[in-house]
Amino acid sequence: MTVLPLYNVMLIPETNLYIQTEAFRNMAGKEPEAQERLILAALKEPKNRADITETDLYPIGVSGIITEVNENGYVAIRTKKRADISDITILADHTISVNATRREDTPGEESDPEAERARLDKLKQALVSYFNNSQWANMSRGYIAQFSSIGEIAAAMSPWLFNSADDRYKILEEDSKAKRTELLEKMIYENIEMSNIGQEAASAQEADYQKIYRESALKKQIDYLQKELDDMHPENVSDIRKFEIALKDNGMNEDARKEAGKVLGRLKQEGKNSPEYGMLYDYLDFVTSLSWKKEEPKDIDLKQARAVLDEDHYGLKKVKDRIIQQIAVMNLKKQQAGSILLFVGAPGTGKTSIGKSIARALGRKYVRVALGGVRDEAEIRGHRRTYIGAMPGRIMDGIHKAGVSNPVMVLDEIDKLQDSYNGDPAAALLEVLDPEQNNSFTDHYMNVPYDLSDVLFICTANTLDTIPAPLLNRMEVIEFQGYTPTEKEHIAKDHLIPKAFEKNGIPKGVLSIDDEALDTIISDYTMEGGVRGLKKRIDTLCRIAAVKIASGEEKVDVHKDELRDYLDMHPLHREKVKKESRPGIITGLAWTQVGGTILYIETLMTKGSGKLTITGQLGDVMKESATIALSLVKAMYPSKIKLLEKSDIHIHVPDGSTPKDGPSAGITLTTALSSLVTGTAVTPEVAMTGEVSLNGSVNPIGGLPEKLMAAQRAGVKHVFIPEENMDDLRDVAEEVKNALEITPVKQVTDVLGALSIPVENPSLSNNK
């Protein structure tokens, strides 16, 4: 008995089944023969004969016999009873062997021939109605009339039924013949309804297409009529017409005009009801409102420009001179020229605000782009328009807000850009800040080049440490030094106090802050290199005065002894030089992002095994300086080596909660250890800064102006600095230089000799 596996075929007992001869041959592995007995097995999934396994067959099938092998290419099979299939075996030639036993229907069921005939006739009528609207209507009537049972109808419709293999098998495994017939009837009706719904949907879709074609034709007519109306009434121009006019008149380059024209074409085609209309409109609105025309160069009066800079900012002579130089070059070349300026300095020193003054001096628009915390490259270059919520980058957004192609653009806090998985925004700025490349800068949102060569870029930063070298290489660094107390007093009187009065509504002459109170605020209630903290304290006094004035007082005077109550804060703790001197303790100078400060290097020797302990939250560089200093001391004091081997050295830098790092404490560490091992005390009024090497030479350091201001503020009288830093004294305020005795040194032994600390091995002093 041949086993014939079938998929997507409705197996129904006692009905006629027709299968293509080729399909029979492929699945049975042999030619069909008339009167051949079969077991028809249902497959769970569509598979080739060679891939069928024992688990691919359902456990219930149908027996049958081939009644005819037709020459037209089909095999007629008369199905018999259902059969339970077990002991399935796949032979080597892929022939299937099974043990089949007859599966009986539920006993005792009696059928009503009249009722079955009525249900069959009703189903036939439903099928005729279904085919009435098709091209097979006449042919189908005769075909449907031949069916003698609902099972025959289901078998004939088997290839076109939507039901899954599991759904078909559930009917086959039903033991009740009446229930099987009912399930078959339900399946056929459901498929008829599903087909009807599909036809209705197709008809509705075709109607929608007709509507779209009609709408497209109407739009073309509307476009023509709208253009005629726009020409007659320019004040009522439509959005489409407005963009068309803008594309012709705003001086776009050829690439931009082509891209915008393409988007405008899509906008016309889509219509206002399209989900993409808003995105297309926003893009066109952005690119057409940009200024694409190059601005005519202006002659700038250098005296007037300097007057504007002096009016807005006190001091900053070096910065102002460099800006005037840039303006002079621009006047001569009649175009944007010079390097990108990078203003570096402590917060509150005027880096950002001077950008606004430069714009006023040049008669240009001013735009500020905040870069602090930006970690996404798209913030600089923009998002591609394929993304939902796409926007242009901050550079092009700034140009758009300025409304001109040559604004003064301040890129604020460029040192606070951050890398992330979204790209490197600092790398994206390379093209923006390179004069050789930015004449064709391409924002991802715009997708067309824009000329940034006329933009005067000014960058600001608090430190250079976090700016990548390739980006830093494109800029000229101009340092903003911290202000001296005298400069802060001038800034407060000329700028901060008048602005604070205006901001807080204080009438002129009502609030008076005497000089002694102002000096105390500067010295005891602020400690940064800039004036931001000073501005906050003055604002606080103005608010307190506002309350008193609103309460009826006619005049408010602020004196030094009232500051503690007015400002509601303790005077800030500043490091002051200690009065007593002890061996092993030396005053050093350090640079921070808010200005300079003094720090003490403390050393202690205890009995031990030569171990070196370093505390005070020191970074790796400073720890290396301590190791170098200890090696130098051993070289300079050979007689102390045994003592050092039997002792532990502890180096501590107070204010342990503050991280400290940098090489400039090398000279201070060496002097402190030399003072310790020789027992020579050094007055705290002497401070020093400089990097040391193993040969005892003192190397140059940075931040000298801030360090010297901190020394003067703390009461230091004498400062040792590297000889190579002498040129930096030109940047130090005269009042600071006049208050300090500044001694340049080349070697560590120069410092020790000046401090009367004896050196056993003077050969280090000859290592020039």
Side-chain angles (χ1 to χ4, degrees), residues 116-396:
E116 287 186 3
R117 173 57 62 185
R119 291 168 64 184
L120 178 61
D121 291 342
K122 185 178 179 182
L123 182 56
K124 286 181 178 181
Q125 291 175 8
L127 287 171
V128 170
S129 298
Y130 171 72
F131 285 107
N132 270 343
N133 295 325
S134 70
Q135 56 183 330
W136 305 286
N138 294 330
M139 182 179 67
S140 64
R141 290 192 186 95
Y143 185 67
I144 293 170
Q146 296 177 5
F147 292 133
S148 60
S149 69
I150 293 176
E152 285 188 8
I153 296 175
M157 295 180 63
S158 179
W160 298 281
L161 296 177
F162 299 116
N163 303 81
S164 66
D166 285 341
D167 292 338
R168 298 170 188 236
Y169 178 72
K170 286 179 182 178
I171 297 175
L172 178 62
E173 70 176 349
E174 176 57 52
D175 291 335
S176 170
K177 182 178 180 181
K179 183 67 173 176
R180 283 202 305 274
T181 302
E182 182 181 335
L183 291 174
L184 288 171
E185 182 183 23
K186 180 182 177 184
M187 179 186 290
I188 294 169
Y189 277 122
E190 286 178 349
N191 277 269
I192 290 173
E193 288 303 317
M194 290 175 68
S195 295
N196 286 333
I197 291 172
Q199 290 180 1
E200 291 173 3
S203 298
Q205 188 176 21
E206 186 174 350
D208 288 342
Y209 285 149
Q210 293 296 331
K211 184 178 178 181
I212 290 172
Y213 300 149
R214 179 178 176 82
E215 183 179 356
S216 177
L218 290 172
K219 281 181 179 178
K220 289 182 179 180
Q221 293 186 26
I222 291 172
D223 287 343
Y224 174 77
L225 296 174
Q226 186 66 56
K227 187 174 181 180
E228 293 292 320
L229 287 172
D230 290 342
D231 292 340
M232 294 173 64
H233 300 284
E235 70 278 4
N236 297 325
V237 174
S238 65
D239 291 338
I240 300 293
R241 184 61 178 156
K242 178 183 70 175
F243 290 140
E244 288 177 343
I245 295 171
L247 290 181
K248 293 179 181 178
D249 298 341
N250 66 357
M252 281 184 175
N253 59 54
E254 192 61 29
D255 291 336
R257 185 175 287 105
K258 284 182 179 179
E259 180 71 14
K262 189 189 304 181
V263 175
L264 181 59
R266 285 185 59 194
L267 188 70
K268 292 178 182 178
Q269 184 179 359
E270 295 288 345
K272 288 192 175 182
N273 295 327
S274 168
E276 289 191 354
Y277 183 86
M279 182 269 290
L280 299 173
Y281 180 93
D282 290 343
Y283 174 78
L284 288 171
D285 184 56
F286 181 81
V287 296
T288 56
S289 56
L290 278 174
S291 176
W292 294 85
K293 297 177 181 177
K294 293 181 76 70
E295 301 291 331
E296 290 294 327
K298 298 179 181 178
D299 282 329
I300 308 299
D301 186 336
L302 297 185
K303 290 184 179 179
Q304 179 64 28
R306 183 176 286 278
V308 170
L309 297 175
D310 289 338
E311 180 183 341
D312 293 344
H313 293 81
Y314 180 84
L316 301 178
K317 181 180 183 302
K318 180 180 177 181
V319 177
K320 293 175 182 177
D321 288 345
R322 179 61 184 83
I323 293 168
I324 294 299
Q325 293 167 13
Q326 183 114 341
I327 295 174
V329 173
M330 290 163 58
N331 269 349
L332 293 175
K333 296 194 69 176
K334 304 300 180 185
Q335 65 181 40
Q336 178 66 43
S339 305
I340 307 297
L341 302 182
L342 172 60
F343 296 155
V344 180
T349 50
K351 302 183 298 297
T352 303
S353 59
I354 203 170
K356 189 178 292 185
S357 299
I358 293 172
R360 193 158 72 89
L362 293 173
R364 294 193 186 185
K365 295 285 188 179
Y366 166 79
V367 178
R368 174 180 172 269
V369 177
L371 298 179
V374 170
R375 59 178 67 236
D376 188 350
E377 181 185 350
E379 293 279 351
I380 306 298
R381 285 193 173 275
H383 304 82
R384 300 192 184 277
R385 296 201 307 275
T386 51
Y387 297 113
I388 295 175
M391 297 185 299
R394 297 196 181 194
I395 303 299
M396 292 311 304

Side-chain angles (χ1 to χ4, degrees), residues 434-475:
D434 192 336
E436 300 298 326
Q437 302 180 46
N438 64 9
N439 60 346
S440 58
F441 172 73
T442 301
D443 184 277
H444 288 158
Y445 178 78
M446 294 171 56
N447 199 32
V448 292
Y450 187 90
D451 187 357
L452 295 177
S453 60
D454 286 342
V455 180
L456 177 57
F457 288 105
I458 295 174
C459 304
T460 73
N462 295 132
T463 177
L464 300 177
D465 298 340
T466 56
I467 302 177
L471 183 59
L472 188 60
N473 187 48
R474 283 163 169 77
M475 299 181 284

Side-chain angles (χ1 to χ4, degrees), residues 537-600:
R537 305 296 174 259
I538 293 172
D539 285 343
T540 300
L541 295 178
C542 288
R543 290 193 296 271
I544 293 171
V547 174
K548 293 189 174 186
I549 294 168
S551 301
E553 292 191 28
E554 295 182 358
K555 191 165 181 11
V556 179
D557 295 321
V558 177
H559 302 288
K560 174 183 175 180
D561 54 0
E562 298 171 316
L563 290 176
R564 175 68 180 84
D565 295 327
Y566 281 160
L567 298 178
D568 193 25
M569 60 182 292
H570 293 285
L572 298 173
H573 172 70
R574 285 187 182 275
E575 286 289 352
K576 296 287 186 181
V577 293
K578 301 180 183 297
K579 293 183 179 179
E580 70 282 357
S581 57
R582 289 174 49 193
I585 300 178
I586 300 295
T587 307
L589 300 175
W591 178 91
T592 68
Q593 289 193 9
V594 295
T597 185
I598 67 168
L599 51 80
Y600 292 102

Side-chain angles (χ1 to χ4, degrees), residues 636-654:
M636 290 188 294
Y637 302 99
S639 65
K640 305 294 183 182
I641 291 179
K642 290 186 178 180
L643 173 65
L644 293 172
E645 289 175 350
K646 296 180 181 180
S647 305
D648 289 341
I649 300 293
H650 189 156
I651 299 175
H652 177 67
V653 182

